[in-house]
Amino acid sequence: MSFAAGKPTRLLLVRHGATALTPEQRFSGSGGDDPALSTDGRWQAASTALRLAELGPVHAVVSSPLRRCRETAEAAAQQLELRVSLEVELREADFGAWDGLTFAEVRERYPDELAAWLAAPAAVPGGTGESLDAVTRRVEQARDKLLARYPGQTVAVVSHVAPLRTLVRLALGAPPESLFRMEISAASVSEVAYFDDGSATVRLLNDTSHLFEDPRI
């Protein structure tokens, strides 16, 4: 495959740092509580800010409006001497009644509903949640706005597991089931480059190399 000439638009995809729910791998969507970063999450955010500076120059920082992302983005913006722009379409999926539960708890309480969600992107989680099809539509809108707003520039995009997996999946042209085969760790960095001809390439996935040294030490 050949790519169009010219400087690509780079999206540096950052998952927010850890919250109290992260170590227990609980569903934490946009329809439940809005937790802050934990102590570990705050140092992860500081480390990620330094990593973004290495991958730059970064021209803009754009974040989901949820608190854990805003706090992660603010650490990056301070390091990069930029301001944070909020994009509501980058929020996490709404998991309905599953919010706050572990995967094992959902499997025990809602086995049929979970099986449907894993099998079909149109399935609605937690009774009143948001399907992966709906997440994909709004993430596509957010991506297209960023590409139009920042052509040829590098943008740090601070978001959540579902939106970030979706951006990678769309760049790869992979099927919906690939969402469940990607690891997007807390405070990880991935990168997608977009070219003028509409093509995209994934350059980095789930980089956590910056998290092995605590910046507080």
Side-chain angles (χ1 to χ4, degrees):
M1 177 182 295
S2 61
F3 296 108
K7 192 174 183 180
T9 302
R10 300 167 62 213
L11 299 187
L12 301 178
L13 310 180
V14 180
R15 184 184 168 193
H16 61 81
T19 72
L21 300 178
T22 306
E24 299 177 356
Q25 298 183 325
R26 294 184 178 274
F27 283 90
S28 182
S30 60
D33 292 337
D34 190 8
L37 294 180
S38 63
T39 300
D40 283 345
R42 289 193 292 273
W43 78 253
Q44 287 174 343
S47 291
T48 304
L50 294 173
R51 179 63 175 140
L52 291 173
E54 294 174 351
L55 293 169
V58 177
H59 303 97
V61 178
V62 180
S63 174
S64 156
L66 297 184
R67 183 176 180 182
R68 52 199 183 270
C69 284
R70 296 199 318 269
E71 292 178 346
T72 304
E74 288 292 351
Q78 183 175 3
Q79 176 66 38
L80 299 167
E81 298 183 345
L82 296 169
R83 299 182 66 178
V84 177
S85 297
L86 299 182
E87 178 53 69
V88 68
E89 291 163 341
L90 293 172
R91 68 189 183 278
E92 181 59 291
D94 184 345
F95 298 112
W98 298 359
D99 204 271
L101 302 179
T102 65
F103 188 88
E105 289 169 339
V106 171
R107 183 171 53 196
E108 179 181 355
R109 301 180 195 183
Y110 307 96
D112 295 338
E113 193 176 289
L114 178 62
W117 183 68
L118 293 172
V124 174
T128 60
E130 182 182 23
S131 72
L132 292 174
D133 277 345
V135 172
T136 298
R137 287 192 292 271
R138 63 175 168 82
V139 168
E140 286 179 318
Q141 293 173 359
R143 177 202 61 194
D144 292 347
K145 284 197 286 187
L146 292 176
L147 296 181
R149 191 180 303 158
Y150 303 106
Q153 298 184 61
T154 297
V155 183
V157 177
V158 184
S159 187
H160 312 261
V161 171
L164 297 181
R165 284 178 173 175
T166 298
L167 285 166
V168 173
R169 179 184 78 78
L170 292 171
L172 292 172
E177 57 266 27
S178 66
L179 289 173
F180 302 108
R181 299 174 186 173
M182 297 181 207
E183 182 70 24
I184 301 290
S185 303
S188 64
V189 180
S190 304
E191 180 183 345
V192 180
Y194 298 87
F195 296 84
D196 291 341
D197 65 354
S199 58
T201 181
V202 176
R203 294 179 168 180
L204 189 67
L205 182 64
N206 198 44
D207 177 20
T208 57
S209 61
H210 50 286
L211 300 179
F212 292 101
E213 293 185 8
D214 188 336
R216 296 170 296 177
I217 298 173

